[in-house]
Amino acid sequence: MNTQKNIVITGFMGAGKTTVGEILARKLNRRFVDMDAEIEARSGFTIPQIFRRHGEEGFREMERRLIRELALRHGLVIATGGGALVDDEMREMMGRHGLIVCLNASKEEIRARLAQSLDRPLAADWERLFDARQSAYAKISHQIMTSGKTPREIAAEIAILDDGALYVRTPDGGGYPIIIGNGLLRIIAEEAEELGLAGHVVIVSNETVAPLYGERLAAALPRADLIIVPDGEAHKNLDTVRRIYDEMLACGADRTTTLVALGGGVVGDTAGYVAATYMRGIQLVQIPTTLLSMVDSSVGGKVGVDLPQGKNLIGAFKQPRSVVIDTEVLETLPPLQWRCGMAEVIKHGLIGQPALLEPGLWQPEQAAQLVRQAVQVKIDVVEIDPYEAGIRAHLNLGHTFGHAIEKATHYGVPHGEAVAIGTVKAALLSRNLGFIDDDLVARIQTIMWQIGLPTNIALDSHRWYAAMATDKKWQAGEPRLILLRALGEATIVEGLRREDIMTVL
Ligand SMILES: NC(=O)c1ccc[n+]([C@@H]2O[C@H](COP(=O)([O-])OP(=O)(O)OC[C@H]3O[C@@H](n4cnc5c(N)ncnc54)[C@H](O)[C@@H]3O)[C@@H](O)[C@H]2O)c1
């Protein structure tokens, strides 16, 4: 049963309710109801005709009837007429099962927008109405100023307010939900059907995570086997894959079995690769347990393992059936792993969601909100570029510098720390090229410091540069880096000069 709250978008005429509502509904994979269009479809008349035949009161009565009906339903995105929720009783009714959001625009903007659509009833008298409705709109707790924002940006802002599932659209026209909450694993059995866990399930986890959460999860699900693999990147390889295949065959896994990856990015990538290949592919559910895997590796469909010759050389695209993120498991995550995950969160903040840079959101009790906002950046990128042909590269901000640190130190520096240093270097280079100012560089350095991440490393710059030049993202030996064009905006820069890079190293 769908128990999600409705998302109800209201606000003055011309505020963008219908356009934003349509985008939001597509983004969240929900049904969209435009109240004015619904009233027109049901009555067989246009809104101006209804006003002429029945007067404003006749129209309001139709609106009230529709509100009473919609307020009892779930999971819809609803765009109301501008006057629909001015009445206290109607607003309360919609609010009982719905999240109401009011879109605001200045009088000047409304004037400009209405100039293009004067056929709306009441448009002639709009200024008086605008003033008269302000006190009712002000009673709505979620207010969004639309000035200077695209409808897509406004929809993204509303999606964050909603605490229901996020949704990722995949290139095959389908998609999958990401469910985020605190304590989800304790109630997962109740949702087994919806999450694709009601049949035979094989849970793959590692020696660290299985005793903490795997055994409990296996016991809670109706028919589950648990396969435990060794912990660590050193085991993200074909030997482990082979071992999982063997154990799956031994426990009778077939094409109807669902594989659950329960662990950090290493388990997610390895088990995901098994799901992509076992009997030509079986259903996969990702249950990430590190901050990094929650905001990054569990979403987007990239799975794979390492070869002795290099990382992630064998892989596939395998979209999960669902991603279940229980932020309660972060309580047992070692502090170093939290900090390393935060390096990726900050990167997401810099390339797409500046709110992530606010320290208030880094507190443990805010984890669900933090993950939600950070994973939304990943969703936005992978939906546009599912196969890494273009802007998905933005997720590599700081990574070419960082990978080179890992390589030059023989993986003596943890990935997240290397990414933190790399992000600072990318910011310095962005400033030297005139893209961003000193203040933003200083802010990034301070953020890393507040989280407990390093911002520099004593490493010979020639060795560092040489390690960067082997990065597979440098095309045909041409320096190519992801840099910051502005806060919240990354860009691919090609043809960089060696001396410019050496300066920041
Ligand atoms: N597929 C992708 O798109 C993608 C993206 C980024 C990174 N990755 C991959 O992800 C991997 C790194 O993932 P990671 O940082 O999650 O490391 P990880 O999987 O090695 O986990 C880090 C450590 O934390 C432990 N752990 C996990 N959850 C825990 C919990 N809740 N409580 C206590 N301990 C816990 C693990 O056992 C491990 O020892 C790399 O292999 C990287 O290549 C993949």
Side-chain angles (χ1 to χ4, degrees), residues 203-450:
I203 301 165
V204 175
S205 194
N206 71 17
E207 297 152 338
T208 310
V209 180
L212 290 169
Y213 309 106
E215 284 150 18
R216 218 180 333 140
L217 178 63
L221 292 174
R223 225 155 41 93
D225 288 291
L226 177 61
I227 296 177
I228 300 175
V229 297
D231 191 354
E233 182 77 29
H235 301 283
K236 186 176 137 178
N237 58 28
L238 290 171
D239 291 343
T240 307
V241 169
R242 174 64 194 260
R243 192 171 144 181
I244 300 172
Y245 289 151
D246 287 344
E247 289 199 38
M248 287 180 69
L249 285 166
C251 71
D254 61 20
R255 298 204 61 196
T256 64
T257 296
T258 296
L259 194 152
V260 171
L262 175 72
V266 167
V267 167
D269 279 10
T270 313
Y273 184 70
V274 170
T277 49
Y278 184 78
M279 296 191 179
R280 297 203 177 84
I282 59 171
Q283 185 163 272
L284 169 69
V285 172
Q286 291 274 12
I287 307 188
T289 61
T290 60
L291 182 57
L292 177 135
S293 55
M294 290 176 183
V295 302
D296 194 346
S297 58
S298 63
V299 173
K302 282 208 294 180
V303 294
V305 292
D306 306 335
L307 286 182
Q309 292 90 332
K311 257 178 73 77
N312 298 323
L313 289 180
I314 302 296
F317 281 98
K318 171 72 185 171
Q319 306 296 348
R321 158 75 167 71
S322 59
V323 180
V324 180
I325 301 180
D326 180 355
T327 48
E328 195 174 63
V329 305
L330 294 171
E331 284 171 17
T332 56
L333 192 69
L336 172 67
Q337 297 301 336
W338 169 267
R339 292 198 299 274
C340 285
M342 279 303 295
E344 304 289 351
V345 169
I346 296 306
K347 176 200 74 184
H348 285 193
L350 291 170
I351 67 172
Q353 180 50 276
L356 290 165
L357 308 180
E358 295 301 328
L361 206 54
W362 311 337
Q363 307 312 314
E365 57 278 15
Q366 295 287 329
Q369 263 310 316
L370 179 85
V371 168
R372 201 180 172 79
Q373 299 205 22
V375 82
Q376 187 63 58
V377 175
K378 174 102 187 209
I379 296 171
D380 290 344
V381 171
V382 300
E383 280 188 344
I384 296 171
D385 183 15
Y387 297 123
E388 214 168 25
I391 77 147
R392 193 154 171 175
H394 289 183
L395 295 166
N396 287 323
L397 177 72
H399 278 58
T400 303
F401 291 100
H403 287 151
I405 296 172
E406 292 180 275
K407 201 176 262 181
T409 61
H410 305 289
Y411 294 89
V413 176
H415 178 73
E417 293 193 353
V419 166
I421 298 167
T423 303
V424 171
K425 296 296 176 190
L428 285 166
L429 186 51
S430 307
R431 182 209 50 197
N432 291 353
L433 295 174
F435 296 160
I436 62 172
D437 59 19
D438 281 337
D439 287 352
L440 182 52
V441 177
R443 183 165 175 213
I444 295 169
Q445 283 170 321
T446 305
I447 285 169
M448 298 303 181
W449 173 76
Q450 285 171 316

Side-chain angles (χ1 to χ4, degrees), residues 40 45-54 119-121:
E40 288 186 333
F45 294 104
T46 64
I47 304 287
Q49 284 169 337
I50 297 172
F51 266 73
R52 278 198 296 276
R53 291 170 74 102
H54 306 287
D119 59 328
R120 297 175 197 238

